[in-house]
Amino acid sequence: MLDDLRDLYQEVIFDHNRNPRNFRKMEDADRQIDGFNPLCGDRLTLFIKLDDGKIVDASFQGQGCAISTASASLMTDIIKGQSEQEAQQLFALFHKMATGEQVDMDDLGKLAVLAGVCEYPARVKCATLPWHTLDALLKGVEEPVTTE
Amino acid sequence: MNKAVENIRPYDVDSIRQDFPVLHQQVHGKPLVYLDNAATSQKPKAVIDSLVHYYQNDNANIHRGVHTLSERATLSYENSRKKVQCFLNAASEKEIVFTRGATEAINLIANAYAQTLKANDEVLITAMEHHSNIVPWQMLCEKTGAILKVAPINDQGELILDQFEALISKKTKFAAISHMSNALGTINPIKQLIDLLHQHDIPVLIDGAQAIPHIAVDVQALGCDFYVFSGHKLYAPTGIGALYGKLELLEKMAPYQGGGDMISVVTFDKTVYSKVPYKFEAGTPNIAGTIGLGAALDYVNSIGLDAIAAHEDSLLAYATEQAKRIDKLRIIGTAKQKGAILSFVLDGIHPHDIGTMMDHQGIAVRAGHHCAMPVMDFFAVPATARASFAMYNTHQEVDVLMAGIENLIEMFG
Ligand SMILES: Cc1ncc(COP(=O)(O)O)c(C=O)c1O
């Protein structure tokens, strides 16, 4: 009965929701920041460690829906080893995908499993919250980020 | 109709459903099951027709023209005031002020009271208030240096009465309490609270936004100083609501906004304000909405609020019993006195996911913090899913709701 929801809720998303990767507090983080979606109450704290302009470690904690948890889990995995600039480019690409713009899915790698959200306007912010939070963190913002 | 006759007429939910055009549609290929009534209710045809009738036949500004259309519009507008007066059993129609809704009515009072409060005076509210019965008081406190006191709730979501009483002191200058909580369904013992506050000469505002479609309100019996509600939760259009205030208090209060309709004489030296309630109704009001509110009250009266309440209580009891069979489900808000609201969380499944998955099955429930973030914090949940019932919901829809929940639990694995 819920089969047609599978384009949004792919098995990978359930998997990341059940076992989020990098879900831990980072005691020795170089930067950390809170992200908040006031509409639904989702919140997360994002931690990163930088070395010479490279993201050498990334982790998160918080409470969110399956979409935002999976998105944070996938994001923290994929940005590890990237330069700040690469991560920001990926954010721009991800944002395009989530809002339904044409992008080359190959450039998105594993993140493509979240492409389905563009069909669910109320859920786009769930997927993009971790990325907006990362973007602010890389820009050196310290106040909590909100999606509103 | 006398009570005896009313009692033998069975509650005919099918015929009631026929009066609500919006209910007869499919969403994602499934029949719509609308269970977001605490956010806003659907409108019966009688209300929709009243708007069309007004715009097609009587549209004119009120209290201004001597022409026929203006007189008709004014008459219908003022008739709605009488209907609200009757619905709340207020002593005089002058005690009914039309506002955009509960929120504006609370802001009106908070602004009026801004002039009487001093630093270190206290305003008392409860931990289960909607943001609209928190923020205006915070703003008032910021302006005046007064202090906001919050009476706590217990794990069932009930107000803790002795702690409420303990917070009352000589410093308490105002209290604002919801009649029924939108996040938990709790119905507060407002008569008892009003009496207690009045023993200390503290004026009290009751936020009736949730209670109004479920509980018969008699403001004279309650003795509250102010009672506010929104029409849209009572089958009326959005953008219209009312403030009831005791006449002597309304007369003492300064106006809220300045403009046309709220004055009797204006010169550049001095303005004389109109009498109540017009003093508080600056500018051209929501005339059509006010007429729609009158039509909604007629409709509710034709079915009977007591009969509606009995039907909704039976839906809530059935839903609560069915919900208890689902292992992963936890009900948030288990007060003994509860209105037709079932707020719940599912173990390991975020309410936002519940909302999307329910929508996919044609079921409209609310997922979120319900404009009551402090309540969410108290129960240590980020949000809840909420099914809320109205006069047109059925027991079969409760079955669909429960099956929908089972389906999504299965999908989550
Ligand atoms: C208890 C309570 N108070 C106040 C309000 C505010 O009503 P409105 O937004 O119609 O002004 C609501 C609406 O959700 C409510 O549930």
Side-chain angles (χ1 to χ4, degrees):
Chain A
M1 142 150 248
L2 285 167
D3 279 353
D4 44 345
L5 261 180
R6 286 280 168 195
D7 53 343
L8 178 62
Y9 288 99
Q10 302 197 21
E11 198 47 47
V12 183
I13 289 176
F14 286 129
D15 174 44
H16 278 264
N17 181 54
R18 273 191 296 267
N19 306 300
R21 322 293 193 262
N22 313 304
F23 189 79
R24 63 191 149 81
K25 193 169 172 187
M26 199 188 291
E27 298 294 347
D28 56 347
D30 292 314
R31 293 191 202 161
Q32 78 176 65
I33 186 173
D34 294 331
F36 184 45
N37 182 345
L39 216 63
C40 59
D42 285 0
R43 21 174 121 234
L44 85 161
T45 308
L46 186 63
F47 307 88
I48 60 169
K49 220 162 133 153
L50 291 164
D51 187 18
D52 202 19
K54 252 199 159 88
I55 299 168
V56 291
D57 198 9
S59 72
F60 76 105
Q61 275 201 311
Q63 265 185 325
C65 62
I67 306 294
S68 79
T69 304
S71 179
S73 173
L74 287 158
M75 178 187 83
T76 46
D77 249 3
I78 212 163
I79 61 172
K80 265 191 257 181
Q82 292 193 334
S83 70
E84 291 189 43
Q85 207 191 356
E86 282 167 333
Q88 256 153 350
Q89 279 165 358
L90 195 56
F91 164 56
L93 207 60
F94 183 82
H95 196 267
K96 277 189 184 163
M97 175 188 82
T99 50
E101 279 183 58
Q102 275 293 334
V103 287
D104 188 345
M105 287 297 170
D106 289 345
D107 297 339
L108 282 152
K110 278 188 184 171
L111 300 178
V113 296
L114 285 160
V117 290
C118 68
E119 302 287 333
Y120 298 83
R123 306 305 301 277
V124 171
K125 282 178 178 166
C126 307
T128 57
L129 174 67
W131 287 93
H132 280 292
T133 310
L134 173 70
D135 181 52
L137 182 147
L138 293 176
K139 286 180 177 146
V141 176
E142 284 174 0
E143 310 83 66
V145 181
T146 79
T147 51
E148 289 308 290
Chain B
M1 198 186 294
N2 69 42
K3 270 253 149 29
V5 177
E6 202 173 86
N7 283 343
I8 51 170
R9 193 178 60 183
Y11 191 86
D12 187 351
V13 71
D14 292 330
S15 103
I16 289 172
R17 291 181 71 80
Q18 289 309 317
D19 296 335
F20 289 80
V22 80
L23 296 177
H24 307 284
Q25 63 176 298
Q26 302 222 321
V27 168
H28 294 293
K30 318 274 160 33
L32 168 66
V33 174
Y34 186 78
L35 298 177
D36 194 16
N37 296 287
T40 198
S41 61
Q42 299 301 348
K43 320 305 172 201
K45 191 147 186 312
V47 167
I48 300 167
D49 288 347
S50 76
L51 303 180
V52 173
H53 179 90
Y54 164 70
Y55 280 123
Q56 283 188 346
N57 299 281
D58 304 335
N59 178 56
N61 213 325
I62 53 165
H63 301 143
R64 300 186 186 183
V66 290
H67 61 77
T68 303
L69 264 54
S70 175
E71 280 178 358
R72 270 194 232 144
T74 305
L75 194 67
S76 303
Y77 181 84
E78 290 302 329
N79 260 337
S80 284
R81 199 187 304 278
K82 291 198 188 99
K83 288 175 188 175
V84 174
Q85 178 207 343
C86 288
F87 199 73
L88 298 178
N89 193 32
S92 156
E93 63 197 77
K94 291 182 199 155
E95 297 181 313
I96 307 301
V97 177
F98 287 121
T99 64
R100 278 197 298 128
T103 302
E104 191 182 38
I106 296 169
N107 277 280
L108 191 162
I109 298 301
N111 274 278
Y113 268 83
Q115 298 173 338
T116 62
L117 290 201
K118 298 183 300 293
N120 297 320
D121 283 349
E122 292 175 0
V123 176
L124 179 58
I125 62 170
T126 81
M128 70 176 89
E129 300 308 318
H130 186 279
H131 294 165
S132 65
N133 202 25
I134 302 174
V135 182
W137 306 113
Q138 279 175 331
M139 289 163 68
L140 166 64
C141 288
E142 226 161 80
K143 247 185 278 179
T144 58
I147 296 162
L148 191 65
K149 292 282 175 180
V150 184
I153 53 177
N154 63 21
D155 291 343
Q156 286 71 52
E158 296 165 322
L159 194 61
I160 304 171
L161 294 178
D162 49 352
Q163 298 206 29
F164 180 90
E165 186 162 5
L167 283 171
I168 298 175
S169 76
K170 283 206 174 65
K171 290 193 204 156
T172 316
K173 291 293 149 62
F174 199 85
I177 306 163
S178 59
H179 194 168
M180 173 173 155
S181 154
N182 69 309
L184 302 166
T186 310
I187 296 171
N188 280 316
I190 54 164
K191 172 70 181 144
Q192 195 184 336
L193 301 175
I194 294 163
D195 287 348
L196 178 65
L197 290 159
H198 282 175
Q199 283 165 22
H200 300 264
D201 292 324
I202 301 163
V204 51
L205 174 146
I206 302 295
D207 172 2
Q210 287 300 330
I212 202 77
H214 309 295
I215 304 169
V217 171
D218 178 338
V219 289
Q220 293 188 73
L222 287 172
C224 56
D225 301 278
F226 303 103
Y227 195 98
V228 307
F229 72 91
S230 297
H232 69 92
K233 298 189 201 273
L234 183 63
Y235 312 102
T238 52
I240 185 67
L243 160 70
Y244 155 82
K246 281 186 182 159
L247 194 58
E248 69 266 26
L249 294 177
L250 291 178
E251 279 174 344
K252 268 193 274 177
M253 277 162 45
Y256 169 51
Q257 293 176 329
D261 246 15
M262 54 76 73
I263 47 81
S264 59
V265 185
V266 177
T267 67
F268 285 112
D269 294 329
K270 189 176 162 40
T271 291
V272 180
Y273 303 127
S274 305
K275 294 199 162 64
V276 294
Y278 307 110
K279 182 167 89 174
F280 300 107
E281 293 179 358
T284 301
N286 182 354
I287 302 169
T290 307
I291 292 168
L293 174 59
L297 295 178
D298 289 344
Y299 182 79
V300 168
N301 287 333
S302 76
I303 293 166
L305 203 51
D306 291 342
I308 294 170
H311 175 70
E312 290 165 345
D313 285 347
S314 137
L315 289 173
L316 179 68
Y318 182 57
T320 306
E321 179 196 302
Q322 294 300 311
K324 285 182 179 154
R325 294 168 188 234
I326 301 177
D327 281 347
K328 289 193 171 181
L329 186 150
R330 177 159 68 101
I331 297 175
I332 303 290
T334 48
K336 276 187 223 76
Q337 298 296 324
K338 237 188 110 168
I341 284 177
L342 188 78
S343 228
F344 62 92
V345 291
L346 298 177
D347 201 15
I349 307 180
H350 192 280
H352 219 166
D353 297 313
I354 300 175
T356 298
M357 291 181 167
M358 295 304 264
D359 177 59
H360 232 73
Q361 306 176 71
I363 307 163
V365 294
R366 175 94 185 262
H369 52 61
H370 316 296
C371 296
M373 287 190 194
V375 173
M376 302 298 114
D377 290 344
F378 177 79
F379 285 96
V381 293
T384 73
R386 181 186 69 188
S388 50
F389 305 99
M391 64 158 93
Y392 40 68
N393 290 123
T394 65
H395 289 72
Q396 187 255 334
E397 286 180 311
V398 173
D399 292 337
V400 175
L401 168 72
M402 296 302 157
I405 296 172
E406 305 262 22
N407 280 341
L408 74 91
I409 290 175
E410 191 187 316
M411 182 172 188
F412 250 80

